[in-house]
């Protein structure tokens, strides 16, 4: 009924009205505050397939996790973190807009002429399903209302780290066009349920971060030979190299190195992470020579990468450790043998021979 019943005539029927419930979006009516970006770290996706004769593990690179300070949802439900892109070629962007759009470029440590193509919306993919592209919108920034930009929204609503007391958002890009490019994200708070023209906050620039490449490691048991296996590593842009100039002016190229070692399971150590020790193994090309490390050979063709053949000790639970190193030129007076290498990929493939 009504609390103003005394204002109605005495013979008026009850004023109760019934209807089906329905949802109403109360539109945001103010420009959202800029997101408070704390830091950005790389992320990896892992998948595995195995059977009686083979094992295959893939590391999905190209991921970044953006940590955000509270609060979130200040403009209402369904608030998202948007990545701002320039809609044309980067060379066409005016200088006044470069501080408000995401930019990326190749690592100058690697010998590769030219740059990388413009970052476009189709590079971004769903963190929960890499095969699904993300939707994007075209809007205008508060800082540059005369130019339209592309915004790729990402969900934040399910991602809260109670230990850190921070919100976080995963941003995943498909295969980078070059080895470990640098990227600087331009981020906004995006509320689609807003009055026209105030969907976006002001832009916040994140710190520079490096994207990682995809890598797939596989172990396949050979049909001929007891406990003989073929180990391969493939991925994106495996042909990268660095250059150094010698005293005589000669250009020296340094290519990446991929090594494998074998570890045996220690049954008396219950910890599955610590209960291993490195052991010797042999190769199919030199079965009489025991080694501790094997450098894989470079493969060319349609599936470039690295490959090697090994013989595992019979009757043991082992794991094959794979390591990929970037190699740089170094001064001749350095004493450390590995001073010019950086580990960028590692994996362990368990096998019971």
């Amino acid at each position: 009924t009504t609390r103003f019943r005394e204002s109605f005539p005495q013979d008026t029927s009850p004023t109760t009205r019934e209807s089906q419930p329905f949802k109403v979006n109360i539109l945001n009516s103010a420009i959202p505050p800029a997101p408070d970006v704390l830091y950005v770290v790389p992320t990896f996706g892992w998948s595995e397939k195995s059977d009686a004769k083979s094992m295959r593990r893939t590391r999905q690179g190209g991921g970044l996790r953006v940590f955000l300070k509270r609060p979130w949802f200040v403009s209402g439900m369904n608030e998202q973190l948007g990545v701002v892109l320039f809609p044309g070629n980067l060379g066409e962007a005016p200088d006044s807009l470069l501080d408000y759009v995401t930019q990326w470029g190749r690592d100058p440590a690697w010998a590769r002429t030219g740059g990388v193509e413009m970052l476009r919306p189709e590079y971004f993919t769903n963190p929960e399903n890499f095969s699904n592209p993300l939707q994007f919108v075209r809007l205008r920034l508060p800082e540059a209302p005369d130019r339209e930009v592309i915004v790729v929204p990402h969900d934040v609503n399910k991602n809260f780290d109670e230990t850190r007391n921070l919100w976080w958002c995963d941003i995943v890009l498909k295969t980078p066009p070059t080895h470990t490019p640098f990227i600087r994200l331009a981020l906004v708070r995006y509320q689609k349920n807003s009055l026209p023209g105030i969907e976006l906050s002001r832009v916040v620039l994140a710190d520079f971060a490096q994207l990682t490449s995809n890598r797939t490691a596989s172990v396949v048991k050979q049909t001929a030979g007891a406990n003989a296996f073929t180990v391969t590593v493939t991925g994106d842009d495996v042909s990268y190299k660095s250059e150094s100039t010698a005293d005589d002016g000669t250009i020296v190229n340094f290519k990446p190195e991929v090594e494998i070692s074998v570890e045996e399971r220690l049954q008396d150590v219950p910890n599955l992470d610590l209960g291993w020790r490195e052991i010797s193994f042999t190769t199919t090309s030199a079965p009489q020579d025991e080694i501790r490390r094997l450098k894989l050979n470079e493969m060319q063709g349609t599936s470039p990468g690295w490959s090697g053949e090994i013989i595992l000790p019979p009757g043991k639970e082992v794991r094959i450790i794979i390591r990929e190193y970037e190699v740089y030129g170094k001064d001749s007076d350095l004493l450390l043998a590995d001073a010019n290498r950086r580990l960028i990929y590692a994996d362990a493939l368990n096998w019971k021979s």
Side-chain angles (χ1 to χ4, degrees):
T1 179
T2 174
R3 56 180 175 169
F4 303 104
R5 184 62 182 268
E6 67 276 5
S7 300
F8 290 85
Q10 294 295 327
D11 57 349
T12 302
S13 61
T15 56
T16 302
R17 184 176 181 181
E18 295 182 358
S19 66
Q20 294 295 324
F22 60 94
K23 184 178 179 180
V24 176
N25 283 329
I26 306 300
L27 299 182
N28 168 55
S29 58
I31 295 178
D36 195 346
V37 178
L38 191 59
Y39 51 85
V40 180
V41 297
T43 59
F44 308 98
W46 295 91
S47 60
E48 178 180 319
K49 293 182 180 180
S50 62
D51 54 36
K53 296 183 178 180
S54 65
M55 185 175 187
R56 175 189 177 98
R57 277 174 56 86
T58 298
R59 184 193 75 179
Q60 176 74 32
L64 297 171
R65 178 164 293 182
V66 181
F67 281 92
L68 305 160
K69 289 184 179 180
R70 300 176 66 183
W72 198 251
F73 304 118
V74 293
S75 64
M77 297 296 294
N78 301 318
E79 192 174 75
Q80 294 175 294
L81 185 69
V83 180
V84 182
L85 309 177
F86 184 68
N89 296 321
L90 192 58
E92 301 172 356
D95 293 341
S96 59
L97 199 61
L98 291 180
D99 287 338
Y100 305 121
V101 295
T102 300
Q103 299 185 61
W104 67 349
R106 67 179 183 88
D107 187 341
W110 308 116
R112 178 69 61 89
T113 58
V116 297
E117 65 181 30
M118 185 61 188
L119 187 59
R120 304 187 185 281
E122 52 266 27
Y123 268 110
F124 293 85
T125 185
N126 191 326
E128 298 180 359
N129 188 345
F130 295 142
S131 61
N132 288 346
L134 293 177
Q135 302 298 316
F136 64 92
V137 294
R138 291 177 177 267
L139 296 168
R140 298 178 185 271
L141 296 171
E143 300 94 329
D146 57 328
R147 295 297 297 264
E148 199 173 61
V149 296
I150 292 175
V151 178
V152 184
H154 291 75
D155 290 335
V156 183
N157 57 339
K158 299 179 181 178
N159 308 329
F160 184 72
D161 190 322
E162 295 184 358
T163 303
R164 293 183 173 91
N165 197 30
L166 298 173
W167 290 97
W168 55 268
C169 176
D170 279 344
I171 297 173
V172 179
L173 290 88
K174 295 180 181 179
T175 306
T178 184
H179 180 65
T180 59
F182 285 95
I183 186 170
R184 188 194 66 178
L185 295 172
L187 303 171
V188 293
R189 196 185 300 255
Y190 168 60
Q191 176 55 265
K192 64 179 180 181
N193 296 319
S194 296
L195 295 174
I198 57 172
E199 298 91 347
L200 302 179
S201 72
R202 293 186 174 275
V203 173
V204 172
L205 296 179
D207 292 335
F208 283 94
Q210 268 189 299
L211 299 172
T212 56
S213 301
N214 301 333
R215 289 292 182 266
T216 297
S218 63
V219 177
V220 180
K221 185 176 177 60
Q222 299 180 4
T223 55
N227 291 323
F229 295 83
T230 300
V231 181
T232 59
V233 178
T234 58
D236 306 320
D237 197 39
V238 298
S239 60
Y240 65 94
K241 61 183 179 180
S242 65
E243 292 181 350
S244 182
T245 305
D247 294 338
D248 60 357
T250 304
I251 302 297
V252 181
N253 293 323
F254 297 90
K255 294 184 176 181
E257 298 176 351
V258 177
E259 296 178 348
I260 62 173
S261 60
V262 178
E263 295 181 352
E264 174 189 13
R265 178 81 173 95
L266 299 177
Q267 301 300 329
D268 56 341
V269 180
N271 190 299
L272 296 179
D273 294 324
L274 302 179
W276 300 87
R277 68 177 176 186
E278 189 173 281
I279 60 174
S280 300
F281 62 98
T282 59
T283 64
T284 55
S285 59
Q288 69 282 358
D289 298 331
E290 291 189 347
I291 58 176
R292 289 296 183 107
R293 294 286 179 98
L294 173 65
K295 183 179 178 180
L296 299 186
N297 299 317
E298 187 176 355
M299 298 189 306
Q300 303 294 336
T302 56
S303 298
W306 302 270
S307 177
E309 297 179 348
I310 63 174
I311 299 176
L312 297 178
K316 292 184 177 181
E317 183 181 355
V318 299
R319 67 180 184 182
I320 301 170
I321 308 298
I322 301 173
R323 301 177 178 90
E324 178 187 347
Y325 295 92
E326 295 174 339
V327 182
Y328 304 87
K330 66 176 182 179
D331 296 333
S332 58
D333 58 348
L334 289 179
L335 300 179
L336 298 178
D338 292 340
N340 63 331
R341 303 201 308 177
R342 183 178 75 153
L343 179 67
I344 62 165
Y345 164 68
D347 200 0
L349 282 70
N350 292 18
W351 192 272
K352 192 168 184 179
S353 57

